Amino acid sequence: MLRYFNSCSKGRGAWLLMAFIALMLECAALYFQHVMKLQPCVMCIYERIALLGIIAAGLIGAIAPQNRLLRWLAIIVWIYSAWRGLDLAWEHTMLQLYPSPFASCDFFVNFPEWLPLNQWVPAVFEATGDCSVRQWIFLGWDMPQWLIGVFAVYLLMAIIVTLSQFFAAKQK
């Protein structure tokens, strides 16, 4: 099995599929915001950034999947983005399930001065909602709970692909 994942990591298809799925999740977030009129909170914006990191990892991996350096860079970005996204989604879920006046998210997103995404693209990165409000529920789970599953799958796959790098690829 690990040889199979090693082989997949050396082709563009798997990397592009990963980036495409994350892009579709980003599109879904924009649909929820602009069509369904749900207000994204600060945590939602940070979770979007984590998904953008996964898209970036997929594109880096697709540039030259045979190049070991680029492949490892893509894997590192993938692991970091998936871990950070899982951490953010977990924290967001805890804020929603166990609201407290002592634990809340920031009022405004905090991007570095050199990358003020909320000023450059406010339609995507401006937070107007409250983190503790549950605005959307599907099959009993709200959006951050679904994102826990999404980021956990991305992280699990990243770990498997990382381990597979130490096994020779399957010969065709």
Side-chain angles (χ1 to χ4, degrees), residues 78-80 82-83 86 150-160:
W78 180 9
I79 289 173
Y80 177 76
W83 174 258
L86 181 60
V150 166
F151 285 119
V153 168
Y154 271 121
L155 185 59
L156 177 65
M157 293 306 297
I159 291 168
I160 291 170

Side-chain angles (χ1 to χ4, degrees), residues 83-168:
W83 174 258
R84 192 69 186 114
L86 181 60
D87 185 44
L88 288 164
W90 180 262
E91 184 180 343
H92 193 178
T93 297
M94 293 301 110
L95 285 172
Q96 288 187 347
L97 294 180
Y98 307 106
S100 166
F102 305 109
S104 66
C105 63
D106 297 334
F107 292 112
F108 304 103
V109 289
N110 293 316
F111 290 118
E113 281 186 29
W114 54 271
L115 190 69
L117 293 175
N118 57 326
Q119 294 171 7
W120 292 348
V121 192
V124 177
F125 297 109
E126 189 64 40
T128 55
D130 181 2
C131 293
S132 62
V133 175
R134 299 174 78 181
Q135 300 181 59
W136 177 85
I137 296 176
F138 180 68
L139 298 176
W141 287 4
D142 56 16
M143 205 166 304
Q145 290 173 316
W146 282 104
L147 284 175
I148 287 174
V150 166
F151 285 119
V153 168
Y154 271 121
L155 185 59
L156 177 65
M157 293 306 297
I159 291 168
I160 291 170
V161 169
T162 301
L163 293 174
S164 78
Q165 299 307 299
F166 301 104
F167 290 84

